[in-house]
Amino acid sequence: MEAFRPLGERRTLIRGSGPLVETVHGEVAWACGVFGGEVVREGSDDAGYDLVLDVVADGAWGDEGFAYGREGGRTTVTASGQRGLLYGLFHVVRLGGTAFQEDRPREGHRPAVALRMLDHWDNVDVHPVMGQVERGYAGGSLFWRDGRARGELERVRAYGRLLAACGINAVCVNNVNVHASEARLLTDRLGEVADLAAMLRPYGVRTHLSVTFAAPVVLGGLPTADPLDEAVRQWWSGAAARVYAAIPDFGGFVVKADSEGQPGPFTYGRSHADGANMLASALAPHGGTVHWRAFVYDHRQDWRDRSTDRARAAYDHFAPLDGEFADNAVLQVKHGPMDFQVREPVSPVFGAMPRTRLAVEVQATQEYTGQQRHVCWLGPMWSEVLRFRPAGEEGSAVGELAGGGLVAVSNVGDDPYWTGHPLAQANLYTFGRLAWQPSADPLRVLDEWIALTFPSAPKRLTEGLRPLLRGSWRTYEKYTAPLGVGFMVQPGHHYGPSVDGYEYSPWGTYHFADRDGIGVDRSAATGTGYAAQYAAPWAGVYESPATCPDELLLFFHHVPYAHVLHSGKTVIQHVYDTRFEGVEEVEEARRVWASLADLVGAERHARVAERYEEQVRGAREWRDQVNSYFLRKSGVPDARGRPIW
Amino acid sequence: MEAFRPLGERRTLIRGSGPLVETVHGEVAWACGVFGGEVVREGSDDAGYDLVLDVVADGAWGDEGFAYGREGGRTTVTASGQRGLLYGLFHVVRLGGTAFQEDRPREGHRPAVALRMLDHWDNVDVHPVMGQVERGYAGGSLFWRDGRARGELERVRAYGRLLAACGINAVCVNNVNVHASEARLLTDRLGEVADLAAMLRPYGVRTHLSVTFAAPVVLGGLPTADPLDEAVRQWWSGAAARVYAAIPDFGGFVVKADSEGQPGPFTYGRSHADGANMLASALAPHGGTVHWRAFVYDHRQDWRDRSTDRARAAYDHFAPLDGEFADNAVLQVKHGPMDFQVREPVSPVFGAMPRTRLAVEVQATQEYTGQQRHVCWLGPMWSEVLRFRPAGEEGSAVGELAGGGLVAVSNVGDDPYWTGHPLAQANLYTFGRLAWQPSADPLRVLDEWIALTFPSAPKRLTEGLRPLLRGSWRTYEKYTAPLGVGFMVQPGHHYGPSVDGYEYSPWGTYHFADRDGIGVDRSAATGTGYAAQYAAPWAGVYESPATCPDELLLFFHHVPYAHVLHSGKTVIQHVYDTRFEGVEEVEEARRVWASLADLVGAERHARVAERYEEQVRGAREWRDQVNSYFLRKSGVPDARGRPIW
């Protein structure tokens, strides 16, 4: 066994200068204050130090990367830039004691994705329907309250620290639906954004702003927001310049245009490339980026019209524009073609726009996945998306195609646990780590999160938690909307079941269940043609029920209830079985959590236990409503004769 | 042809004294100011007058009745009380020119029902979900705005005038759901109620107040609201005394207790008779009445539990208490067992409580009947209820059993037309007139309303309007929820179709449609036993699908889609046919209204025309959703091959 100094006696040397190096120094100094040890700034000799954190401006590791190694009783982190040093420090923290015990040859770490971003759907004014945080399930906003900047800047700084520890380097501080007060963050309320940016900057987190496409009209008093109008372009250039004067490292704009009622270039007969490029050009002189969301579809669809398919919309709108977007314009694409359902195919846009910078947008906030009252760790789902290869095995994975970044809708609020459900923190952490390395094994990331969250956890806790989180997404899928059919939620708030909740709505989200069968025919041969938006081999795989994966069957095909899945079960029996299994799995998870009471702080344990009660109730409600609905409609009894109401 | 003086030269004599006689005088003086003529106060000689309005305190016509006649070129109204004189004057107004042209032998008019009341579900504070007026579709409240008394007292006085012209003599000025601010109307905010009462009093309208059963706790600081607790009883006595000190003619309290979350005597293990009698005893010394609502049911029902039947609840809760209520306690019973659906059977409570003063509660505000965007004149429905004889042909009608009064939930707000939809005024007027005379022919009342609303209408207008309103209730029924099944509305706001909207909810409102059939078995033999709550002959009539009227079939029975109605049609074909017919009837009504454009003021015409657009849109949506739902579920095609989506 090698000799090494105990925690309280370790000596750390930090070399380099700049604000983020100060942050690193502050972190180490803080740790020394708590655990003992010493931190020294500068010095040419590494001898006698346990840890050396060094900035060497040779560019070898890029702005954010670092090299890590341990040899001769000394752990070293070498970065080419300040951010890299910060991430290197958090790498040491993640390794914990082993960073000071095990020799390791020098190895490089660099983020695979340059932009790793959280979008906050936080409103400045409390929205009469959506509240302070749209689709927020973790209390209020960290940034805004009742129309004003919240002003709790130390908390924002702590949030920046949390994000950096997860590897996240960008935050958009307001909702993509930009209402009247929020619009003004771009102009006369810019100071409030600058205050936030100042708190996030020390942790390497750049600030972005959602803006309204109509800003030149509503803020600038111009008669038009036409992106090709010279006055409009000048207005945006001026606005961008003023933003950068206040926030020199400002990240850029996020725009939801021509989407669910938001204004956009369609009003002026211009393309989305015209719109995005106009903003890109305003940002370019300052190094900023526009994130243009691809979530454009007809939300006033007539449910009677079966030829319109919302799933097609992003591809239909954007694929023809490939190559037309400016270099600093990023097209931000939801991971699936619909809207963050528990199961969707990967958006075909990722395979269709090789000449466009694409960002993948996922949803950490659990809008459709239990609203942080249900445990639903989304790591495996995101990993599946990021590892999906649109052109087949030989082609690139989505994680490699995401040159524009990885973006998650934030699941964080002013809740003491940050995320409402304490276990929902795992989604935040996993997102950050997958954004750093999209090919990472999500199960390993989960283990990291468990180890960091419960630092002195005995094996019983670790081994209890692991399966409970690992399986939670598939469990959630089991008791909710089956076989990729999606939705079936209560309209508006989207919590809890309502099988027909969106069936006769204008939102384009239908399952077409009748007494004989269910599902949406999206084949090219007989359906909406959505399957043909994929390249080979996927177009072929999805085209036929014979090759379509079970879990996406009803997304792509309308089949009889008696259709036999690859699993050997009929669709209807699958519906029943998975509903019963899902509930049993939640009941078992609740039991496991209860058994861990002595190993988790009382308050945290109670919070999770209370949410498991709600999850069990909710899962049973899903099971019973879905089963009753399909029994009533299909007339096919459960083969195992279990109670269906 | 008899000689009579033209309008502008008529002379009126008014005899009697008191505030309402002053009101009568003011009305006549106002008319003389507009049309010419002269009004004289007092005088023993009737000669030379065209109209004599006389109060003779002999009690012959009761407090509100009057005698009317015309002889020898003189019209006379003789009342025993001031209110009678006011109603007599409005009778003359209703007769219009004929009151001065046609001799008529002296005839007596007295209201059949002493209490003719409008309940306003107006909130003082804007409720976050329900708004200023719960279930209000006519703008804001006349009484309250944003937490304060609105203070537009002249408008309240004009409202009193409108009510008196309809025959209504009581108003409850706040919502039966009593929230924090509203509770205080009983105590420190009583002055605001007194201000309203002062404006309504000159038109013979007494003011009532909704109070919370928990008032002794929330306002009085007592530890309990137990109705048998002496301190509680004293608190209420004191509160009532203070109310009467401020409002000497105060009508009484309206109470929604143990209902949809409101507090009540159940909390203390007391009966509803205990609760009502305690309040009755506080009011009795001052001549006041408590209106105790019978709308008590389990609104947290489990939809899986088919043995609980919300329809049974009012009878089950209250029938055993018959004879236990104080003389000045009125049990206010919704006309049907559920909740103001377009079609329900008459509540069995009316046949089950002969020793209790019952009031019939109907809903003028069109919560479930088109929300004053659809034309739905409810006269025929209310008339059917009032003429229903719970004990069969030999027994009394509900209108005769309603010794406690007739109550409507108000459809009035601060809209310039009072009721949002100008034609919804017909409901207000019809309610008042049916309350005066429950046996009246509603079609005659409708004609009265048309004549009064369009005083110089040519025949084309009258004959256009008449069928359009007459048939509107049945039209609405046709395109919405079929055969008495009820609901099928969007949850929460209750506007527009959602066939399964309440199917898996805790509200007790289910249709149990499956692939084979639909309806709720409420028979005694095989169902919930609700049918047995009726006396003969109705228990027998409703018990069997063979005798149950078609329009209530699905309320009482679960039948196959192929079940043949008395009409000769199958249930499923009836569903399709009525949906198509309903839409056609609305389209025709829209056409008729459009053809009347030259006969109605432009603004009023436009308002109604715009609402017909919405009604046509809404009716088509109902048609298509209901038809698609049942085609998908039953698999039975429309016999006439019309498009079902």
Side-chain angles (χ1 to χ4, degrees), chain B residues 102-348:
Chain B
E102 292 170 9
D103 275 11
R104 195 178 295 199
R106 201 168 153 86
E107 63 192 19
H109 292 263
R110 307 175 98 174
V113 177
L115 184 123
R116 307 174 301 278
M117 183 166 179
L118 279 194
D119 279 4
H120 280 257
W121 287 355
D122 295 15
N123 295 317
V124 175
D125 289 334
V126 175
H127 187 275
V129 176
M130 291 300 175
Q132 188 76 68
V133 181
E134 182 162 335
R135 310 304 179 188
Y137 315 106
S141 165
L142 292 168
F143 308 138
W144 319 104
R145 183 158 59 194
D146 293 337
R148 297 208 174 80
R150 185 158 174 159
E152 295 177 23
L153 294 176
E154 274 311 306
R155 193 166 189 173
V156 175
R157 189 182 157 97
Y159 181 48
R161 181 175 185 246
L162 172 67
L163 296 181
C166 301
I168 292 163
N169 67 358
V171 158
C172 183
V173 295
N174 66 311
N175 189 357
V176 290
N177 292 318
V178 180
H179 309 291
S181 292
E182 291 76 8
R184 293 170 48 212
L185 297 176
L186 176 63
T187 50
D188 56 310
R189 297 185 66 169
L190 180 59
E192 298 168 33
V193 183
D195 288 345
L196 298 176
M199 291 295 114
L200 297 170
R201 187 176 296 120
Y203 284 96
V205 178
R206 289 169 84 180
T207 298
H208 297 240
L209 198 60
S210 290
V211 297
T212 171
F213 195 78
V217 176
V218 298
L219 299 171
L222 298 184
T224 177
D226 181 348
L228 301 192
D229 181 281
E230 193 47 42
V232 170
R233 300 177 72 85
Q234 279 177 18
W235 189 89
W236 277 110
S237 291
R242 284 186 293 273
V243 171
Y244 278 91
I247 309 168
D249 63 340
F250 181 71
F253 299 143
V254 176
V255 187
K256 176 177 179 177
D258 290 318
S259 172
E260 296 181 338
Q262 294 291 313
F266 284 168
T267 309
Y268 308 101
R270 310 302 183 187
S271 78
H272 277 249
D274 293 333
N277 291 346
M278 182 259 299
L279 295 177
S281 129
L283 291 162
H286 315 284
T289 302
V290 58
H291 283 253
W292 192 267
R293 294 179 85 231
F295 188 52
V296 177
Y297 70 100
D298 178 5
H299 70 293
R300 301 245 178 269
Q301 184 177 337
D302 190 329
W303 59 268
R304 300 164 190 83
D305 162 24
R306 291 225 186 173
S307 64
T308 302
D309 179 5
R310 171 170 165 180
R312 293 185 56 112
Y315 181 103
D316 285 344
H317 280 295
F318 288 96
L321 300 177
D322 188 34
E324 294 186 19
F325 286 93
D327 287 347
N328 65 326
V330 165
L331 189 64
Q332 186 164 315
V333 183
K334 289 193 179 189
H335 68 81
M338 297 297 281
D339 192 19
F340 302 134
Q341 299 306 293
V342 69
R343 177 75 73 168
E344 294 186 40
V346 174
S347 171

Side-chain angles (χ1 to χ4, degrees), chain A residues 193-357:
Chain A
V193 182
D195 289 344
L196 298 176
M199 291 295 115
L200 297 170
R201 187 176 296 120
Y203 285 97
V205 178
R206 289 169 85 180
T207 297
H208 297 240
L209 197 60
S210 290
V211 297
T212 170
F213 195 79
V217 176
V218 298
L219 299 171
L222 297 184
T224 177
D226 181 348
L228 301 192
D229 182 281
E230 194 46 43
V232 169
R233 300 177 72 84
Q234 279 177 17
W235 188 90
W236 276 110
S237 291
R242 284 186 294 274
V243 171
Y244 278 90
I247 309 169
D249 63 342
F250 181 70
F253 299 143
V254 176
V255 187
K256 176 177 180 178
D258 290 318
S259 172
E260 297 182 336
Q262 295 291 313
F266 283 168
T267 309
Y268 308 100
R270 309 302 183 189
S271 77
H272 277 249
D274 292 333
N277 292 345
M278 182 258 300
L279 295 177
S281 128
L283 291 163
H286 315 284
T289 303
V290 58
H291 282 253
W292 192 267
R293 294 179 84 233
F295 188 52
V296 177
Y297 70 99
D298 178 5
H299 71 292
R300 300 244 178 269
Q301 183 175 339
D302 190 329
W303 60 266
R304 300 164 190 82
D305 162 23
R306 292 226 186 170
S307 65
T308 301
D309 179 4
R310 170 170 165 180
R312 293 185 56 112
Y315 181 103
D316 284 345
H317 280 295
F318 288 96
L321 301 178
D322 188 35
E324 294 186 19
F325 286 93
D327 287 346
N328 64 327
V330 165
L331 189 64
Q332 186 165 316
V333 184
K334 289 193 179 191
H335 69 81
M338 298 297 281
D339 192 18
F340 302 133
Q341 299 306 291
V342 69
R343 177 75 72 170
E344 295 186 39
V346 174
S347 170
V349 173
F350 295 114
M353 301 188 70
R355 294 178 297 153
T356 306
R357 288 177 68 196

Side-chain angles (χ1 to χ4, degrees), chain A residues 128 302-306 490-491 498-501 503-505 511-516 617 620-625 628-636 645, chain B residues 128 302-306 490-491 498-501 503-505 511-516 617 620-625 628-636 645:
Chain A
D302 190 329
W303 60 266
R304 300 164 190 82
D305 162 23
R306 292 226 186 170
Q490 302 242 3
S498 175
V499 179
D500 273 0
E503 193 57 18
Y504 302 95
S505 80
H511 54 64
F512 299 130
D514 62 20
R515 71 198 318 258
D516 302 315
R617 187 206 63 74
R620 289 177 182 162
E621 192 64 28
W622 270 99
R623 174 194 66 194
D624 291 346
Q625 284 200 32
S628 287
Y629 180 97
F630 286 105
L631 174 63
R632 289 189 194 179
K633 210 152 197 166
S634 72
V636 182
W645 308 95
Chain B
D302 190 329
W303 59 268
R304 300 164 190 83
D305 162 24
R306 291 225 186 173
Q490 302 242 4
S498 175
V499 179
D500 274 0
E503 192 57 17
Y504 302 94
S505 81
H511 54 64
F512 299 130
D514 61 20
R515 72 198 317 259
D516 302 315
R617 187 206 62 75
R620 289 176 181 162
E621 193 64 29
W622 270 99
R623 175 195 66 194
D624 291 345
Q625 284 201 31
S628 287
Y629 180 98
F630 286 104
L631 174 62
R632 289 190 195 178
K633 210 150 198 168
S634 73
V636 182
W645 308 94

